[in-house]
């Protein structure tokens, strides 16, 4: 019987450090204190550990390919995420192919099935409708999966890169309150997704802390698109007591609000304050310039890439990374 | 020895119609005159033709996958193209995976190699540095290739979807001349690509027809990015006789010009007229709104998809489709 290969987490245990630290020592990509580095190197030597998948590819000259599964290729957030992922994986000679699901569950499943059949080497996914069970076949086949989303599908075994927006959203609501706003509305995604509505929950909690309302009739839903934002504004302004400030789940829908406001003769920010989320490139190009909560897409992608490489290098324990967002105040609020 | 399968072009020859018409009759996607339809159906029956690849996939339930190879995933033009391609192929249960080469020749070759090994079912590509020879291995393996570019790599055997911009560019230059412009500058792509500079050539020819100059020192080169546009403007304005109007090879670089102009205190359009190319979404969102030459990205992708499906259905003869562009005048010129 063949010996089981030594994993990176065994090295981490023997060296008494985290898997990430082992990964940094092995890749040389981040500085690590000399004593720590020596402990890791000693554990590597003792256990006879060697980097497997990626190193193997390098030895055989066979290129590996990871897939990035995203809900909306027209959202520049994902283009930036793809660039960050690609630049990180490129150093290890992994290709990236991008799969666009149009936020459709059948498409999500169909891509997963196809990638499994084609023996993809790893998957980074921003799921819309998938549950942890849907990822079972991939994981059973030993294909590493990294989730990029605000929550991890409630599965602690999955690698996750998420936004830590609590503070930035609190600051955004505080800013609106200081501007005199009392009726806050929100444009969010569809209801019933396994990920829930983490951004809505954060805005609601922040509103409460600041003595502001976020009533149910001022929360409208859609598909994270410009059309959703435009339709959302029309619905919100038709309410008996329309909001004086709107927060959007992403910049795409905020741009839709901006366009519809111009058509409707609503002046931003004097008639209505508007805050987006993500800080995609166009946020600073529109007029008025969009105030938003910056979630650094490129860094999200790069972080997903690092987690994927660690998995390919043998890490077993799940890692969850929260990237701090920050409020960027421009002209719309 | 097995009989050679009957191809769609043989059906077309026998029926006395084009391959496209045969494709429309078989797919039922476009109305075809009854007499023509009957002629095609008679030829199909006579030759014993049957749709092969795609139909086979449908029978076996195996999904097929096509790859879209693009130079810049951050350019929304390609996101729209991808959507058009995907929507068209989706009807035939073909997936699309998107490969971003960052306009790098090594990446282009590496993706082609990888896709060949993974037995991709078809490729749509906007090549940057590839020559027809580079596509040889794919074609030898019977993998259909459709090019989306302004020129077809000078290979009449390749399927090509290109822009027909002669008239729109002529109108753009005419518009600039009527505004009193005499010194036209241009921001274009890198030199030495196999595709050459079709848009530069069209602008130069149009300038001549309108008695306008497009001198060599007013043509600057870069990478089709915002950075290229911004750097290009700085270089152009440092010339002894700077231009009063600038045309850009795409909207991405035009947006870069717009941003740099604001920083430099150059007023658009009063100090400098600016014209882009493509009409990406952001063109109408920036201020001043960008005047541009609209090349319908979604339709480009959908057309590439139709050509690819025809190839998968057995078409042998190459088809080249030129999509007419049109001048969209907004505020920047």
């Amino acid at each position: 019987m063949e010996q089981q290969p030594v994993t990176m987490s065994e090295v981490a245990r023997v060296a008494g450090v985290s898997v990430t630290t082992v990964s940094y020592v092995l890749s040389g990509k981040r500085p690590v204190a000399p004593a720590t580095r020596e402990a890791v190197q000693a554990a590597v030597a003792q256990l006879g550990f060697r980097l497997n998948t990626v190193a193997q590819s390098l030895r055989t000259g066979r290129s590996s390919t990871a897939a990035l599964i995203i809900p909306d290729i027209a959202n520049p957030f994902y283009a930036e995420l793809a660039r960050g992922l690609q630049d990180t994986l490129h150093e290890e000679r992994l290709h990236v192919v991008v799969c666009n699901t149009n936020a459709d569950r059948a498409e999500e499943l169909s891509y997963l099935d196809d990638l499994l059949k084609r023996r993809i080497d790893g998957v980074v996914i921003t799921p819309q409708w998938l549950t942890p069970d849907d990822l079972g076949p991939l994981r059973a086949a030993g294909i590493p999966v990294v989730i990029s989303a605000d929550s991890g599908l409630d599965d602690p075994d999955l690698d996750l890169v998420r936004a830590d927006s609590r503070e930035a959203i609190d600051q955004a609501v505080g800013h609106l309150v200081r501007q005199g706003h009392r009726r806050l509305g929100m444009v969010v995604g569809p209801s019933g997704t396994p990920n829930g509505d983490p951004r809505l929950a954060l805005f609601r909690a922040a509103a409460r802390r600041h003595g502001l309302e976020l009533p149910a009739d001022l929360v409208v839903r859609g598909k994270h698109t410009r059309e959703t934002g435009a339709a959302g504004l029309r619905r919100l302004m038709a309410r008996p007591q329309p909001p004086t400030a709107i927060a959007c789940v992403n910049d795409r829908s905020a741009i839709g609000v901006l366009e519809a406001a111009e058509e409707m003769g609503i002046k931003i920010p004097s008639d209505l304050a508007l805050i987006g989320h993500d800080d995609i490139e166009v946020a600073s190009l529109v007029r008025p310039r969009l105030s938003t909560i910056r979630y650094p897409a490129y860094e999200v992608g790069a972080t997903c890439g690092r987690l994927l490489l660690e998995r390919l290098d043998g890490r077993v324990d799940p890692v969850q990374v929260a990237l701090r967002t920050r409020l960027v105040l421009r002209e719309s609020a």
Side-chain angles (χ1 to χ4, degrees), chain A:
Chain A
M1 215 177 114
E2 268 191 57
Q3 220 187 321
Q4 283 289 313
V6 177
T7 67
M8 208 184 274
S9 51
E10 289 174 74
V11 174
R13 258 191 293 273
V14 169
V17 300
S18 71
V19 172
T20 308
T21 302
V22 175
S23 158
Y24 288 154
V25 170
L26 295 173
S27 67
K29 273 177 206 156
R30 292 279 178 96
V32 173
T36 310
R37 194 174 59 236
E38 279 160 28
V40 170
Q41 284 163 345
V44 164
Q46 179 193 329
L47 297 169
F49 171 80
R50 52 188 315 175
L51 288 174
N52 52 16
T53 317
V54 174
Q56 229 163 46
S57 296
L58 291 175
R59 275 198 306 278
T60 61
R62 179 182 158 270
S63 66
S64 304
T65 302
L68 171 66
I69 306 181
I70 55 173
D72 182 9
I73 198 170
N75 184 347
F77 179 84
Y78 295 110
E80 270 303 289
L81 192 161
R83 287 186 55 244
L85 177 66
Q86 189 169 3
D87 287 352
T88 303
L89 297 187
H90 187 259
E91 293 169 32
E92 303 289 346
R93 294 180 58 178
L94 268 102
H95 281 111
V96 175
V97 295
V98 179
C99 309
N100 174 42
T101 67
N102 288 320
D104 180 272
R105 177 167 161 81
E107 282 291 291
E108 290 182 321
L109 290 172
S110 181
Y111 271 117
L112 288 181
D113 187 52
D114 194 53
L115 294 168
L116 181 60
K117 282 180 190 149
R118 283 176 199 267
R119 306 181 173 285
I120 198 80
D121 299 294
V123 173
V124 174
I125 182 165
T126 298
Q128 183 83 8
W129 297 103
L130 296 179
T131 66
D133 282 354
D134 296 323
L135 301 171
L138 277 185
R139 293 157 81 189
I143 298 171
V145 179
V146 177
I147 306 283
S148 162
D150 279 7
S151 86
L153 298 177
D154 281 331
D155 185 331
D157 284 341
L158 285 168
D159 283 356
L160 172 69
V161 178
R162 68 172 179 87
D164 173 5
S165 288
R166 193 181 184 281
E167 200 175 313
I169 287 177
D170 201 85
Q171 287 170 359
V173 173
H175 172 76
L176 294 174
V177 168
R178 280 192 301 280
Q179 308 269 310
H181 293 283
R182 291 297 172 267
R183 287 189 66 80
L184 177 63
M186 199 163 174
V187 177
V188 297
S191 65
T193 58
N195 261 323
D197 293 298
R199 291 179 191 177
L200 172 59
L202 287 171
F203 263 98
R204 186 159 271 152
R208 263 189 222 118
R209 281 194 295 277
H210 289 274
L212 208 74
E213 274 188 84
L214 182 50
D217 76 320
L218 293 193
V219 176
V220 295
R221 294 185 173 278
K223 283 184 158 182
H224 299 106
T225 60
R226 278 165 79 197
E227 293 68 28
T228 287
L233 178 67
R234 292 201 175 82
R235 283 163 59 205
L236 286 172
M237 299 318 280
R239 300 290 192 235
Q241 293 189 282
T244 63
I246 294 179
C248 290
V249 72
N250 70 349
D251 288 346
R252 290 284 287 170
S253 43
I255 303 289
V257 169
L258 213 59
E259 291 179 290
E262 189 169 359
E263 282 172 27
M264 295 164 74
I266 297 170
K267 292 213 184 329
I268 292 178
S270 54
D271 297 344
L272 181 75
L274 178 65
I275 289 189
H277 197 293
D278 293 347
D279 197 20
I280 57 176
E281 184 179 284
V282 69
S284 55
L285 292 173
V286 291
R287 297 292 184 277
R289 291 176 179 85
L290 187 64
S291 295
T292 189
I293 290 165
R294 176 164 174 74
Y295 186 35
Y298 185 93
E299 193 183 339
V300 174
T303 307
C304 290
R306 282 195 295 272
L307 294 189
L308 193 60
L309 289 176
E310 290 171 15
R311 283 275 184 191
L312 290 169
D313 284 346
R315 172 167 61 75
V316 171
D317 299 333
V319 171
Q320 305 212 339
V321 179
L323 295 175
R324 189 72 68 90
T325 63
R326 65 180 174 84
L327 179 63
V328 179
L329 289 177
R330 295 195 179 98
E331 299 169 347
S332 71

